[in-house]
Amino acid sequence: MSTQDDLILVAGGGGFIGGHLVARLLTLGHRNIRVVDIKPIGEWYQVFPQADNRVLDLKSLANCRTAVAGVARVYNLAADMGGMGFIETHKAECMLSVLINTHLLMAAREAGIERFFYASSACVYNADKQTDADVTALKESDAYPAMPEDGYGWEKLFSERMCRHYREDYGVATRIARYHNVYGPNGTWAGGREKAPAAMCRKVIEAKLSGKHEIEIWGDGEQTRSFMYIDDCLTGSMAIMASNIVEPLNLGSSELVSINRLVDMVEAIAGVKLKRRYNLDAPKGVRGRNSDNTLIREKLLWEPSIRLEAGMEKTYSWIWDQMTAQPAGLRRAS
């Protein structure tokens, strides 16, 4: 039985979700936390001196063995990934993350860890079921027959299967959540890896600060998505980790929104109205995607519920602070 004294590994803890997870665990009284990321600590989104912070490349089996030594539970959030602009142009890099999960599972089995959480993605879902902006929400069984997002989605689906077979063959207690577009403060908002909510906030702020009231939107803006605020992501991830649910579970908001509506929302928060330029040649991803939360409601009696407007207000405010905290010539993604 796990306790607050158990050593918890957060792999990818220097990233957006990982940093927030470490903060949540500390808030809940966990004091024995090892945080591992490939990035130099100065590039982590959040750093907590009270944690055991290590810079390790977890594509290496030897480093995974070092990372899991003495650990009771593993949260694997480590992956080379970003928004659609990144994953469509870095397919091989994204697929190399398969080494992280494979080697972590191997090391976890050797170490006899209690629980292993894997952060999967809605990119595992069959593309044929995501061709209409007026979507039918994706249920967990829609991952098969398999035709996931090329590169990144294939890696996530393969790693889900590795978790399943390590559970079935070796008794490693794996848990899997399929994240749907997580957003919030303390994450990537520029540089090419940012996702739509942060990108829209940055673009609107740039337009407001420059006085050039126009914005470029990738695609025609009618593509649809759901976006989950980070607090809901953390609550769901920890609940899935603690549960007896062995099959992958959707973890996402069921609040569907078009990209045009997302821009409307950010404009309202910013108090501006912008001319829209649509770049039909830019990466767009699938036409429509939403989370069917029937199974998570049934299994956990809970689902993500933070409204998009509320989460976007907090995200916009944080990105505004990042972009206005330094002289214009020195602004950069932190």
Side-chain angles (χ1 to χ4, degrees):
M1 192 71 173
S2 61
T3 72
Q4 287 189 323
D5 294 327
D6 288 339
L7 179 56
I8 300 171
L9 171 64
V10 180
F16 163 50
I17 299 174
H20 280 283
L21 178 60
V22 175
R24 173 73 68 90
L25 289 168
L26 289 168
T27 298
L28 292 173
H30 297 277
R31 290 293 177 264
N32 207 3
I33 303 171
R34 180 173 297 149
V35 187
V36 173
D37 204 282
I38 193 172
K39 297 184 293 293
I41 290 177
E43 296 178 15
W44 293 14
Y45 291 113
Q46 298 184 67
V47 180
F48 302 92
Q50 61 269 52
D52 174 11
N53 298 308
R54 304 190 187 189
V55 176
L56 294 170
D57 181 353
L58 294 176
K59 292 192 293 294
S60 155
L61 177 56
N63 286 342
C64 286
R65 286 172 171 148
T66 298
V68 303
V71 165
R73 282 171 283 164
V74 173
Y75 283 94
N76 180 17
L77 308 173
D80 198 352
M81 59 86 68
M84 192 51 59
F86 180 82
I87 67 176
E88 283 200 0
T89 54
H90 297 78
K91 295 186 176 78
E93 287 178 51
C94 289
M95 289 201 76
L96 283 174
S97 296
V98 74
L99 296 174
I100 299 173
N101 193 62
T102 301
H103 286 147
L104 269 179
L105 281 169
M106 292 171 69
R109 179 197 174 200
E110 293 170 0
I113 61 99
E114 290 178 9
R115 287 281 169 101
F116 186 104
F117 175 90
Y118 178 63
S120 186
S121 166
C123 289
V124 302
Y125 283 114
N126 188 316
D128 278 351
K129 297 179 182 290
Q130 303 173 77
T131 58
D132 193 338
D134 184 17
V135 303
T136 300
L138 293 161
K139 55 186 182 295
E140 284 78 1
S141 59
D142 288 333
Y144 296 95
M147 190 167 46
E149 188 82 45
D150 201 8
Y152 179 71
W154 276 107
E155 186 277 321
K156 288 295 186 184
L157 192 62
F158 177 85
S159 292
E160 283 190 8
R161 300 297 289 195
M162 284 292 287
C163 288
R164 171 180 170 175
H165 296 313
Y166 259 70
R167 175 178 56 81
E168 292 174 339
D169 292 358
Y170 303 127
V172 178
T174 55
R175 302 291 182 265
I176 301 167
R178 290 176 179 161
Y179 290 165
H180 288 246
N181 295 312
V182 188
Y183 74 99
N186 294 106
T188 305
W189 52 269
R193 290 178 182 257
E194 68 277 15
K195 294 189 176 182
M200 292 309 171
C201 289
R202 187 198 74 245
K203 289 179 179 182
V204 170
I205 293 167
E206 286 173 344
K208 185 170 182 175
L209 291 173
S210 70
K212 186 179 180 183
H213 284 190
E214 63 177 49
I215 184 172
E216 181 186 78
I217 297 172
W218 289 2
D220 62 6
E222 291 306 307
Q223 61 269 40
T224 53
R225 296 290 187 277
S226 68
F227 299 99
M228 173 174 55
Y229 191 63
I230 183 64
D231 289 0
D232 274 339
C233 176
L234 301 177
T235 300
S237 296
M238 295 181 70
I240 291 169
M241 172 67 115
S243 77
N244 293 320
I245 305 161
V246 297
E247 66 264 34
L249 269 186
N250 275 337
L251 184 51
S253 168
S254 59
E255 182 184 356
L256 189 68
V257 65
S258 70
I259 298 301
N260 279 327
R261 175 69 188 111
L262 183 66
V263 177
D264 291 342
M265 202 175 289
V266 182
E267 286 177 336
I269 293 167
V272 296
K273 194 66 182 172
L274 307 177
K275 179 182 177 182
R276 301 180 184 188
R277 290 184 292 105
Y278 293 95
N279 183 350
L280 301 182
D281 296 323
K284 299 176 285 291
V286 297
R287 187 63 176 165
R289 175 185 292 155
N290 197 12
S291 179
D292 184 323
N293 287 347
T294 303
L295 195 56
I296 194 170
R297 285 196 306 267
E298 174 191 320
K299 299 286 188 179
L300 294 181
L301 305 178
W302 174 89
E303 68 177 311
S305 61
I306 296 171
R307 299 291 296 176
L308 186 56
E309 288 92 342
M312 288 301 291
E313 284 180 2
K314 294 177 181 178
T315 305
Y316 178 93
S317 177
W318 181 81
I319 295 175
W320 172 270
D321 288 346
Q322 302 305 301
M323 294 180 69
T324 58
Q326 305 170 45
L330 298 178
R331 289 182 195 132
R332 62 178 180 85
S334 57

